[in-house]
Amino acid sequence: MKTHSTLTRKLLLIACLGASATGAQAAEDYSSFLRPAEIPQPDNNRITSARVELGKMLFFDPRLSGSNWISCGTCHNPTLGWSDGLPTAIGHDMQVLKRATPTILNTAYQPLQFWDGRARTLEEQAIGPIKAAGEMNQDMDELIKELSALKGYRDAFEDAYPGEGITENTIAKALATYERTIVSTESPFDRWVKGETHAMSKEAQEGFEVFLGKGRCVLCHSGFNFTDNGFHNLGLKNDDDPGRYGIRKIKILKGAFKTPTLRDVALTAPYMHNGAYKTLEEVVDHYDRGGDTKDNLSPNMQPLHLSASEKASLVAFMKALTGEPAPVSLPRLPTE
Amino acid sequence: MHKSSRQKLLRIAAIATALLAASVAQAAEVVVDQLNKTFVIEGNKVEAISINVGDTLRFRNDDPFFHNIFSLSDLKTFDLGSFPQGQSKTVTFDKAGTVEVECAIHPEMYMEVTVK
Ligand SMILES: [Cu+2]
């Protein structure tokens, strides 16, 4: 009896293994890489069309800067993957800044904002660059005065935040709301995950396997937004930026920066927090070497020994994360 | 040695052993797993835990990537450094109060430890 039941169990096990082996790719559940149904949004600042419209006006209005010349959209340019195509940002008075302009695609899904994660909310983030001397160099009182002088803005604020007036808080909330609507669209990869077997090329599918396995990419670039929302030192050459260590004085965070999304990554060159690499191929080579500066390297990094075809497939996979361009309509800014 | 003093000594030794055993039994060790970038105790995700003075938390990494548990709270400042899957490190909480524990790599991993 006993032997019999053991045998049955063994047979069952073999049957199960057989089933999973033949089911292979198609049966694999990659739904954790699909976009959650809802855009995360705080209870005190729900997304409404009036708020999105106001936020969009503010986002594209150069009068938000001290020079009246730089808008949020100057650096977060929707035609350049919501970034600027530059190695590092150019701010007030043509200053070249230390860090690259991150895309604002899918920031709604990030628990911490900025390369070093110093802002806990998009509302807090939105105000940072406006006031920063090196970026938009704006005096908040001055800005509130300028906006309050325009009937178009007075009405738009009243529609979006009735009775709350034009304040730093409502400016932040409107900008954050607009940013929350800037989300990635369906990419060939998403269609492939949903079962369209030919949506992604064979090479890109191979690249996804390298991404999950030998390439070790998924250790940090995980989930729908392809980020662990974590901080890692990637061992970039000639970089003395303390990164996250400026916020949390823990050794491992020296030179560590937030894992960026890989959604639409083909559109946001140059790459890395300091714009060190012009192409995705260069980025893959960096990881394949296991980084360059090793004194505080992320322990997740190690030489990968990828073949030329594995590297090429990884790049093909990353390119398959580009969604159809979402239409962006530009607002007419109030002049009176 | 006098018989009476030897008995006394034995008695003291017995009491000391009993006390030691009692204190060992009292000071608990709780295993806190790091799983899917969350803190997990006995299979349940935790964001707060209450322990007694002298208790030890053993942080064990069950994820295939590194974690780095630390606290900058005044009551108990520590940095366990980064450690891989399968490894664990311990911290003993010797004062009453509240300690905020976080992962440096994944700040979403956050837990409040109340030491009573
Ligand atoms: Cu962690």
Side-chain angles (χ1 to χ4, degrees):
Chain A
M1 236 3 240
K2 202 173 177 188
T3 359
H4 181 82
S5 71
T6 312
L7 188 69
T8 315
R9 223 170 24 226
K10 268 186 187 160
L11 283 172
L12 269 174
L13 192 67
I14 290 163
C16 291
L17 286 171
S20 77
T22 47
Q25 297 307 84
E28 206 76 62
D29 182 17
Y30 295 127
S31 57
S32 69
F33 289 101
L34 294 177
R35 193 165 83 194
E38 282 246 318
I39 298 175
Q41 46 192 298
D43 287 340
N44 67 357
N45 192 23
R46 307 298 292 175
I47 299 172
T48 66
S49 57
R51 291 171 181 180
V52 174
E53 285 312 306
L54 171 62
K56 189 197 284 181
M57 281 158 65
L58 294 168
F59 188 88
F60 288 106
D61 195 335
R63 289 170 295 192
L64 256 69
S65 62
S67 63
N68 296 322
W69 192 54
I70 305 172
S71 73
C72 306
T74 303
C75 295
H76 299 289
N77 184 338
T79 64
L80 292 168
W82 298 98
S83 184
D84 55 12
L86 299 167
T88 61
I90 294 179
H92 181 70
D93 223 359
M94 296 305 285
Q95 286 172 75
V96 177
L97 306 179
K98 249 182 127 174
R99 295 175 185 170
T101 301
T103 180
I104 54 166
L105 188 77
N106 289 343
T107 43
Y109 301 90
Q110 293 180 1
L112 297 175
Q113 308 298 338
F114 294 117
W115 277 113
D116 55 16
R118 64 187 180 277
R120 286 201 168 271
T121 63
L122 270 179
E123 282 77 2
E124 193 186 333
Q125 180 280 327
I127 295 301
I130 298 174
K131 288 183 177 171
E135 296 182 50
M136 291 163 83
N137 192 40
Q138 177 66 287
D139 178 84
M140 191 47 70
D141 293 338
E142 181 68 32
L143 175 60
I144 290 167
K145 220 180 289 170
E146 284 175 67
L147 296 176
S148 304
L150 299 164
K151 184 176 185 300
Y153 269 122
R154 288 197 303 270
D155 291 347
F157 273 92
E158 187 52 31
D159 280 351
Y161 299 101
E164 290 186 50
I166 302 179
T167 66
E168 177 171 333
N169 193 30
T170 48
I171 293 168
K173 290 206 285 193
L175 280 167
T177 300
Y178 178 56
E179 288 184 79
R180 286 194 180 98
T181 65
I182 300 166
V183 296
S184 54
T185 58
E186 200 172 60
S187 67
F189 168 75
D190 298 302
R191 301 207 311 270
W192 178 80
V193 169
K194 288 175 182 171
E196 263 184 64
T197 30
H198 300 293
M200 188 161 78
S201 71
K202 191 89 185 31
E203 189 183 26
Q205 291 178 36
E206 283 161 17
F208 185 44
E209 275 183 37
V210 177
F211 185 88
L212 296 175
K214 191 175 172 187
R216 301 170 62 79
C217 315
V218 78
L219 296 185
C220 302
H221 291 284
S222 52
F224 144 70
N225 206 21
F226 288 90
T227 170
D228 58 356
N229 302 311
F231 297 85
H232 308 269
N233 180 325
L234 304 178
L236 293 169
K237 252 183 252 172
N238 309 320
D239 192 76
D240 59 359
D241 191 331
R244 178 73 174 162
Y245 190 73
I247 313 301
R248 289 269 190 283
K249 296 273 181 288
I250 299 295
K251 185 191 168 286
I252 199 168
L253 297 176
K254 273 183 197 158
F257 292 83
K258 193 175 66 186
T259 311
T261 180
L262 296 183
R263 292 276 172 187
D264 282 2
V265 69
L267 309 178
T268 61
Y271 300 107
M272 321 312 261
H273 69 267
N274 62 0
Y277 298 126
K278 289 193 181 71
T279 64
L280 289 172
E281 284 80 359
E282 286 177 23
V283 174
V284 170
D285 280 333
H286 174 90
Y287 286 112
D288 189 53
R289 290 194 298 276
D292 294 316
T293 304
K294 312 255 165 108
D295 51 357
N296 198 44
L297 190 66
S298 160
N300 288 339
M301 299 270 297
Q302 57 181 242
L304 301 171
H305 310 294
L306 299 176
S307 69
S309 80
E310 285 169 332
K311 288 184 193 176
S313 71
L314 261 184
V315 172
F317 166 65
M318 286 192 273
K319 288 182 176 169
L321 296 175
T322 310
E324 288 297 312
V328 179
S329 66
L330 295 177
R332 178 167 285 172
L333 299 177
T335 52
E336 52 186 74
Chain B
M1 201 182 274
H2 262 277
K3 202 185 168 191
S4 65
S5 63
R6 206 175 87 197
Q7 256 170 356
K8 210 167 161 187
L9 203 66
L10 276 172
R11 209 160 45 228
I12 290 169
I15 291 166
T17 312
L19 277 176
L20 195 69
S23 74
V24 167
Q26 238 172 23
E29 182 178 291
V30 180
V31 176
V32 183
D33 290 296
Q34 283 101 75
L35 184 63
N36 298 324
K37 285 176 283 171
T38 54
F39 289 115
V40 170
I41 295 176
E42 287 172 359
N44 300 309
K45 185 183 170 182
V46 286
E47 280 166 350
I49 174 183
S50 184
I51 59 171
N52 294 318
V53 172
D55 285 357
T56 296
L57 294 185
R58 176 174 292 278
F59 292 95
R60 186 169 69 192
N61 185 356
D62 297 327
D63 279 325
F65 39 81
F66 281 77
H67 290 293
N68 188 130
I69 309 305
F70 77 95
S71 176
L72 294 177
S73 294
D74 293 337
L75 194 78
K76 185 81 189 176
T77 303
F78 62 89
D79 176 6
L80 299 183
S82 60
F83 49 98
Q85 189 164 34
Q87 284 188 19
S88 66
K89 291 197 179 177
T90 57
V91 187
T92 300
F93 294 82
D94 32 32
K95 268 183 265 168
T98 308
V99 181
E100 294 175 316
V101 176
E102 216 176 285
C103 173
I105 300 170
H106 310 109
E108 282 173 280
M109 297 174 64
Y110 171 88
M111 186 173 77
E112 208 174 84
V113 179
T114 306
V115 190
K116 285 179 186 162

